[in-house]
Amino acid sequence: MSVQLVLLWSDVLLWLLCTAALIFGWRSMRLLHLARGWAKLGKNPIATGTATLLVAFLLVGLTDSIHYREALPPLPDAAPDAEIRYGVEVFSALDYLLEPLRTQNEKTYSAPFATRLYAMESMETAAGISRLYPRLTYGGAHLDDEIDRTADIVKRLMTGVLLAFFLLAGIYVFSRRVLRKKYPGFAWQGVLAALCAIVLVFLPLFFLTEGYHVLGTDKVGQDVLYQALKSIRTALIIGLVTTLVMLPIAILLGIAAGYFRGWMDDLIQYLYTVLNSIPGVLLIAAAVLMMQVILDTHPEWFATAAERADLRLLALCMILGVTSWTSLARLLRGETMKLRELEYIEAARAFGVPSGRIVIRHILPNLMHIVIIALVMDFSALVLAEAVLSYIGIGVDPSTTSFGTMINNARMELSREPAVWWSLAAAFSFMFVLVLSANLFADAVRDAFDPRYEKRA
């Protein structure tokens, strides 16, 4: 089957950010004060375990950031050398891997592991028209008798758990014989604990999803587990791309205010004081609504609906970045004011070294620990911000799957009788694991790189 690669701006930025992070990590190992922090981080089991979980989330997001369009069937009277036509629907590599979850849609709501719909319908039976719960088209369709459902679920679950134990045993032996001997100071126990949790969850899920909707389906019958996995990419883009917007502004203005002081310091302080005085939600809402008007009046800019939704996602990242740089800039300003009074900085100025060279060679390297700490700690806050903004209707495009849109859709579902709770539970669980991992990793990064915590320890 012929496909056409589709490059969305968010895909390019996410891959570039991951590449830049790897290059920065490798280069920072050559700086003594940062290398010590990385070494201390590698000896912390909580840091290595949460980093493993974050890498797993990142792999899902990167897989979902490879997009393509499928070729349409040729017309009956088309010539053999006719130009290939492609559909307007954009898929990702994750969609290809999760094709059964994406395509096996039910009619409407169904509970986790259910074999029947969650709503009654009028059906014709031998006794006449009756109100019954109809069988699902895909969930549990392989069962001849619904009584066998529990035994089938246990069988699939035990198969996944057994394979998980064999895989984990191999990983453990490899780590004991190879990795711990080659890298003796690294906290491999944290990595193994995280891998154990990942494998014990996803291998049983692999076998269970072949016959059931593990987390149920939503109003239009789409699998909730598929939606939760698709939401990971949106959360990563909000957390990572926003930093790409925020970081240059915060570093430039924070260092400029602290180093040059005078009128420049007064101007920058006035700028972020005014920005902080405006309620953040109102500022973001106004910017999103203005951006939405521009998108609605220029539909010719987009070849597909995915491109339109992607531009709105990037615009939201821009808005969040422009409104969230002030706290980091204030931290960098204060630290720069202390650094510029050090003797070697004053000596460099006395010898006529240009200010730009002093900032790049002496000021900026001594601020990187603050930048690293701030970026990691802001990630979880940005993920939660997207969920809140989408919940109140000013977040990502409605066609973009995110934790916020899942929670927003679940708002009305909870008022049903009986309540549809699994969409909210799925979004909350995935977001909880992602945010908790990011927060624990941020605490470990702070302890490793912040000199104040090192002295206290």
Side-chain angles (χ1 to χ4, degrees), residues 20 46 63 102 114 170 174 203-204 216 239 243 245 267 289 333-334 352 355-356 383 390 407 437:
I46 296 179
T63 307
R102 177 177 62 86
F174 177 75
L203 264 182
T243 61
V245 179
L267 179 62
L289 292 176
R333 170 185 173 272
S355 297
V383 173
S390 296
I407 295 173
S437 301

Side-chain angles (χ1 to χ4, degrees), residues 109 117-120 131 133 410-422:
Y109 297 112
L117 288 177
Y118 204 60
M120 284 187 173
R131 296 282 293 174
Y133 294 100
R411 175 176 54 181
M412 299 301 297
E413 297 171 355
L414 291 174
S415 62
R416 285 173 48 96
E417 182 57 40
V420 179
W421 52 267
W422 46 86

Side-chain angles (χ1 to χ4, degrees), residues 73-390:
L75 297 174
D77 55 348
D81 57 346
E83 183 180 357
I84 300 176
R85 300 177 304 117
Y86 295 95
V88 296
E89 190 172 1
V90 178
F91 303 98
S92 69
L94 185 66
D95 293 329
Y96 178 80
L97 295 176
L98 303 177
E99 186 172 2
L101 296 180
R102 177 177 62 86
T103 57
Q104 295 180 0
N105 295 335
E106 306 294 346
K107 189 174 182 180
T108 184
Y109 297 112
S110 65
F113 296 104
T115 58
R116 293 182 176 272
L117 288 177
Y118 204 60
M120 284 187 173
E121 292 184 359
S122 298
M123 301 180 63
E124 186 174 355
T125 63
I129 303 297
S130 302
R131 296 282 293 174
L132 300 173
Y133 294 100
R135 282 289 299 266
L136 297 179
T137 307
Y138 300 100
H142 61 286
L143 298 174
D144 296 328
D145 193 341
E146 294 180 70
I147 300 177
D148 301 329
R149 183 184 64 171
T150 303
D152 183 65
I153 292 174
V154 172
K155 178 182 176 181
R156 291 170 181 268
L157 182 64
M158 294 308 296
T159 302
V161 171
L162 187 62
L163 287 178
F165 275 119
F166 279 114
L167 179 60
L168 289 172
I171 294 174
Y172 178 76
V173 171
F174 177 75
S175 66
R176 291 276 295 182
R177 295 185 177 181
V178 179
L179 297 179
R180 293 192 178 185
K181 291 182 179 179
K182 192 172 182 180
Y183 305 100
F186 193 80
W188 291 108
Q189 61 270 31
V191 177
L192 290 176
L195 287 177
C196 181
I198 294 171
V199 173
L200 284 175
V201 169
F202 282 97
L203 264 182
L205 275 180
F206 174 77
F207 289 96
L208 289 170
T209 52
E210 290 183 343
Y212 302 93
H213 298 289
V214 178
L215 297 180
T217 58
D218 63 359
K219 186 176 182 179
V220 296
Q222 193 173 47
D223 193 274
V224 174
L225 176 60
Y226 170 75
Q227 294 181 11
L229 292 173
K230 292 284 290 183
S231 300
I232 294 174
R233 175 182 179 270
T234 305
L236 292 176
I237 289 177
I238 291 291
L240 296 177
V241 176
T242 302
T243 61
L244 182 65
V245 179
M246 174 189 69
L247 193 60
I249 303 174
I251 291 178
L252 179 63
L253 297 183
I255 294 179
Y259 183 79
F260 295 104
R261 299 199 294 189
W263 66 269
M264 186 173 292
D265 185 20
D266 295 337
L267 179 62
I268 294 173
Q269 284 193 76
Y270 178 79
L271 178 62
Y272 64 62
T273 301
V274 171
L275 194 59
N276 283 335
S277 65
I278 304 174
V281 175
L282 294 180
L283 183 61
I284 294 172
V288 168
L289 292 176
M290 288 189 296
M291 176 265 303
Q292 187 63 40
V293 172
I294 296 174
L295 296 181
D296 292 340
T297 54
H298 296 87
E300 69 278 1
W301 289 356
F302 316 104
T304 62
E307 295 180 4
R308 182 182 183 278
D310 183 69
L311 184 59
R312 175 165 174 171
L313 177 61
L314 290 181
L316 181 61
C317 294
M318 293 283 292
I319 295 167
L320 289 173
V322 169
T323 57
S324 59
W325 59 268
T326 55
S327 59
L328 179 57
R330 187 182 290 110
L331 287 174
L332 296 179
R333 170 185 173 272
E335 192 67 19
T336 303
M337 293 180 69
K338 292 190 296 183
L339 290 174
R340 75 184 302 275
E341 304 299 332
L342 296 179
E343 294 180 354
Y344 69 95
I345 301 291
E346 293 184 346
R349 288 203 304 269
F351 279 107
V353 178
S355 297
R357 187 175 180 84
I358 293 175
V359 168
I360 295 174
R361 293 294 299 272
H362 301 295
I363 301 292
L364 185 59
N366 287 287
L367 296 176
M368 291 312 297
H369 68 281
I370 296 179
V371 174
I372 294 173
I373 295 169
L375 291 184
V376 178
M377 297 189 72
D378 286 346
F379 174 82
S380 57
L382 292 169
V383 173
L384 294 174
E386 182 277 325
V388 173
L389 293 174
S390 296

